[in-house]
Amino acid sequence: MSVVYERVALIGLGLIAGSMAHAMRAHGLAGHVAGYARSSETRETARRIHLCDSIHDSAAEAVKDADLVVLAVPVRAMAEVAEAIAPYLKPGATVTDVGSVKRSVIEAVGPHIPEGVHFIPGHPLAGTEHSGPLSGFASLFQNRWWLLTPTEGTDPAALARLQDLIRGMGANTEDMEAGHHDLVLAVTSHVPHLIAYTMVGVADHLRRVTESEVIKYSAAGFRDFTRIAASDPTMWRDVFLENTDATLDILGRFTEELFVLQRAIRMGDGQHLHDYFTRTRAIRRGII
Ligand code: NAD
């Protein structure tokens, strides 16, 4: 692979930025990767493991001369970071983000992006329940989707270049309207995370089953289903506070369906349960 951007700046050095650093290095996609994270402990760890070519003590320093700036911080921290780096962005540079919510990030970040700098929001549909600078790995994006939410005004050349980088890291990319992205992700990611967190909370509040029993006898259902409840609390707090409408819409539908199943169980309506599980199993089996 050839270099797509001479200089890339990663702001926030957690799972996603760390995986980007590894992937760009593995595929030779960037001439130089500069990094910044707010916590000095994270910066020290990143230096120790040589996560980037240079780690800076300020975001302003990290973005200097960068051709691509990636905002990889929790969704609610995006605006403050954008404001801090705005005066130091190189004309003609591209700023992208990897936030799990798009509409609110665009509203919060967009106004800070100076004239002559391209802003192309994005979201890699890839992750694990781990976080921090040690959690990244080069193959995280392999064969995963990376959605971009450009608008009619987005520069086609800047978009094509970002797409090249994304494909270079092994991901597939498609464009999507930001509001639609937030609804799709509410179904496929946000509400499932909320339900997983809730299931762990239910187990925690049971007085007749002890915590050690839950851990010791954790059967496939609980173990598989709640893996994502080990995810970073700050990241997920921000997702729910910023994707409120779509989350509440999908959560309302989920609750309605759950009540119907609850009723079927109470009424001994095996036919309803069997039909429902048959239909949903067929859908689930279609997901690789
Ligand atoms: P992470 O917790 O692993 O890393 C976040 C990093 O941001 C940390 O290094 C932290 O020090 C830094 N940070 C926090 N606030 C900051 C600030 N104000 N200024 C500078 N740095 C700051 O998180 P992550 O999983 O890499 O998530 C980053 C972004 O990617 C989030 O917006 C999240 O919604 C999105 N995302 C996460 C996943 C996932 O599954 N983890 C998947 C796709 C997208």
Side-chain angles (χ1 to χ4, degrees):
M1 272 276 169
S2 54
V3 169
V4 181
Y5 293 99
E6 244 350 288
R7 195 176 174 96
V8 176
L10 301 173
I11 308 299
L13 296 171
L15 171 71
I16 301 297
S19 297
M20 288 186 73
H22 288 297
M24 287 189 289
R25 280 224 175 127
H27 301 288
L29 300 165
H32 182 102
V33 179
Y36 166 76
R38 185 182 50 173
S39 126
S40 57
E41 198 185 327
T42 302
R43 297 198 296 271
E44 274 321 302
T45 306
R47 282 191 184 107
R48 184 168 49 76
I49 63 170
H50 303 292
L51 187 62
C52 300
D53 299 303
S54 59
I55 299 288
H56 302 265
D57 291 331
S58 78
E61 250 178 67
V63 304
K64 198 164 165 278
D65 291 329
D67 304 292
L68 175 71
V69 175
V70 182
L71 308 181
V73 298
V75 166
R76 287 205 147 189
M78 296 277 183
E80 144 198 347
V81 171
E83 189 178 8
I85 62 172
Y88 307 97
L89 294 168
K90 182 166 98 170
T94 293
V95 174
T96 188
D97 77 290
V98 295
S100 305
V101 180
K102 292 278 56 84
R103 222 167 41 180
S104 75
V105 167
I106 292 167
E107 280 165 15
V109 170
H112 296 295
I113 304 297
E115 193 79 20
V117 172
H118 309 288
F119 176 42
I120 310 177
H123 179 203
L125 307 191
T128 72
E129 67 278 27
H130 303 295
S131 55
L134 296 172
S135 60
F137 55 98
S139 60
L140 179 67
F141 310 114
Q142 205 66 45
N143 299 320
R144 307 303 297 268
W145 283 108
W146 192 311
L147 299 175
L148 294 174
T149 61
T151 60
E152 273 173 24
T154 303
D155 181 70
L159 177 62
R161 200 168 169 199
L162 184 57
Q163 288 168 337
D164 281 347
L165 178 80
I166 291 169
R167 292 196 187 101
M169 291 188 289
N172 303 310
T173 180
E174 271 186 2
D175 299 345
M176 194 178 271
E177 189 275 322
H180 190 62
H181 163 279
D182 291 351
L183 182 62
V184 170
L185 267 291
V187 184
T188 58
S189 171
H190 303 170
V191 171
H193 275 80
L194 192 70
I195 296 165
Y197 278 120
T198 313
M199 198 57 225
V200 177
V202 168
D204 181 42
H205 292 137
L206 272 183
R207 285 289 162 256
R208 282 165 294 146
V209 178
T210 64
E211 192 180 319
S212 62
E213 279 178 311
V214 172
I215 293 168
K216 185 170 170 189
Y217 302 121
S218 195
F222 191 85
R223 187 183 292 271
D224 292 351
F225 177 67
T226 60
R227 179 185 58 77
I228 54 179
S231 303
D232 185 67
T234 305
M235 171 189 157
W236 285 100
R237 177 203 62 192
D238 285 11
V239 166
F240 293 118
L241 293 179
E242 295 300 327
N243 197 17
T244 313
D245 292 351
T247 300
L248 292 178
D249 178 1
I250 300 303
L251 202 56
R253 289 162 193 265
F254 174 81
T255 316
E256 275 176 26
E257 300 237 356
L258 200 61
F259 277 137
V260 174
L261 291 177
Q262 187 179 355
R263 185 167 191 279
I265 293 168
R266 186 159 41 78
M267 304 295 281
D269 188 349
Q271 189 64 49
H272 180 88
L273 294 174
H274 195 269
D275 290 350
Y276 193 91
F277 297 153
T278 303
R279 204 171 69 247
T280 51
R281 178 178 75 167
I283 296 166
R284 178 58 185 87
R285 282 186 167 172
I287 304 171
I288 302 158

